[in-house]
Amino acid sequence: DLLRTVVSQTTSAIEQILLQRELLRQSAEASRLAELNQLKSYFVSNVSHELQTPLTSIRIIAELLQSKKRISAKEKNEFLAVIEGESKRLSRLIDNVLDVSRIEQGLKRYHFSTHTLNDVLRDALASLDYQLKLNGFDVIVDIPKKSIKLNMDRDAMSQALVNLFSNSIKYSFKEKMLKVVVSQQDGYVDIRVSDRGIGIQPDDLPRIFETFYRSDDESIQSISGTGLGLTQIRHAVESHNGSITVDSVPGLGTTFLITLPARSV
Ligand code: ADP
């Protein structure tokens, strides 16, 4: 009888523990889903805001053109630069949304062929020329003279670099400096992208690569963004067998380091 009682009590104690564990799991899952839902609704309002800004600039230019009888060649070039720059910004946003959606569904494919890293970097910087000039950025580029050939998906890598550069532009207020340093050693290529912007708080650092994640910090929330850029960057870099790390000091700036294997091609 004693044995039966002990067995029955032990069984019910185990059942209770299992039940408690299941309740804890369900509650953790519920709060994870609630957080994801909140991030998604922030995302929808952020995307709408991000779409609105370039469209407003383009509309203002159209209204100016309608109201002006004569336009000088200088004005025409300025207007065209705004339209081009803002359209590129819209395309980047749409590319990121489509890309992360493919990544989340496991449908993102990369197409590799041989490209010169120097050209990809130069084109990525050129596509942000308008934003860099508009914000008065000092751009420092230190790339080895000898061209570095890599096996890569050119579009994806270029998108990743543009995303990194545009983050430096977005998150720098006082000191506006973008530095790109490329070095090569032991079969690896390092691409360092640094700025002297607001930096990243230690609490945010472990989460910045998560899809939709944006810091709660007021200075970050006041800047439009979708929380997709670093997801695209990390996926692209890792699909090239590379890695990305970040080093940041709040108030002083941030450096992202991309390391790619320099397989001979
Ligand atoms: P978004 O910039 O649209 O918010 P990202 O995925 O590109 O999304 O970046 C995620 C977060 O990482 C940003 O919200 C910001 O908090 C932080 N971050 C990324 N790059 C920088 C940078 N260069 N300086 C400061 N913070 C950055």
Side-chain angles (χ1 to χ4, degrees):
D1 275 356
L2 181 66
L3 195 61
R4 214 171 280 140
T5 314
V6 168
V7 167
S8 131
Q9 277 177 356
T10 312
T11 313
S12 69
I14 290 174
E15 276 169 357
Q16 212 170 338
I17 289 170
L18 288 177
L19 190 67
Q20 272 170 358
R21 198 190 281 172
E22 178 57 17
L23 285 174
L24 279 176
R25 197 194 59 78
Q26 281 180 9
S27 126
E29 178 70 6
S31 55
R32 200 187 64 81
L33 286 178
E35 191 191 358
L36 197 64
N37 268 340
Q38 196 188 29
L39 284 176
K40 277 189 180 165
S41 59
Y42 282 147
F43 166 75
V44 171
S45 71
N46 286 338
V47 165
S48 318
H49 188 247
E50 288 252 301
L51 287 171
Q52 211 51 261
T53 318
L55 285 175
T56 307
S57 305
I58 294 172
R59 204 186 55 236
I60 290 171
I61 298 288
E63 284 168 6
L64 266 173
L65 286 174
Q66 267 171 347
S67 67
K68 273 189 175 261
K69 290 211 179 74
R70 289 167 66 105
I71 312 162
S72 68
K74 185 172 166 270
E75 279 177 322
K76 190 177 118 192
N77 286 340
E78 281 169 9
F79 290 159
L80 287 175
V82 176
I83 296 173
E84 200 191 355
E86 295 297 342
S87 326
K88 280 184 183 160
R89 202 158 112 175
L90 277 174
S91 300
R92 277 200 299 275
L93 170 65
I94 294 164
D95 284 348
N96 276 341
V97 173
L98 290 176
D99 239 51
V100 172
S101 150
R102 284 188 208 110
I103 291 171
E104 298 269 291
Q105 292 175 71
L107 295 175
K108 177 69 193 164
R109 300 282 173 268
Y110 294 91
H111 306 283
F112 293 87
S113 50
T114 307
H115 296 284
T116 308
L117 179 65
N118 314 48
D119 295 344
V120 179
L121 275 164
R122 202 196 47 230
D123 290 354
L125 279 170
S127 76
L128 286 171
D129 205 39
Y130 161 74
Q131 246 113 335
L132 287 163
K133 284 202 179 116
L134 186 75
N135 292 287
F137 261 77
D138 199 3
V139 182
I140 301 160
V141 181
D142 182 358
I143 308 179
K145 286 225 168 52
K146 190 172 170 282
S147 36
I148 300 172
K149 300 240 188 244
L150 291 178
N151 194 23
M152 65 166 102
D153 181 316
R154 185 180 176 134
D155 289 344
M157 205 39 88
S158 166
Q159 190 182 348
L161 292 167
V162 170
N163 278 333
L164 266 191
F165 301 157
S166 52
N167 274 352
S168 290
I169 300 175
K170 269 198 310 193
Y171 300 113
S172 297
F173 300 134
K174 289 190 202 121
E175 275 204 67
K176 306 200 170 204
M177 191 262 339
L178 171 66
K179 190 171 175 189
V180 185
V181 179
V182 177
S183 56
Q184 208 173 359
Q185 83 256 320
D186 305 332
Y188 284 91
V189 175
D190 285 343
I191 308 167
R192 276 189 181 74
V193 178
S194 314
D195 61 56
R196 296 208 192 113
I198 57 173
I200 303 170
Q201 296 296 330
D203 285 355
D204 291 323
L205 269 180
R207 299 199 61 192
I208 56 169
F209 289 96
E210 287 174 22
T211 310
F212 305 131
Y213 185 79
R214 304 204 73 223
S215 167
D216 287 343
D217 201 284
E218 247 175 61
S219 51
I220 299 285
Q221 289 295 327
S222 65
I223 307 162
S224 60
T226 52
L228 300 182
L230 285 176
T231 302
Q232 185 277 330
I233 298 167
R234 182 158 77 172
H235 198 269
V237 168
E238 289 180 353
S239 302
H240 285 69
N241 294 324
S243 65
I244 177 162
T245 54
V246 57
D247 189 8
S248 185
V249 182
L252 288 183
T254 304
T255 297
F256 282 94
L257 166 64
I258 293 179
T259 301
L260 295 172
R263 266 191 295 134
S264 51
V265 284

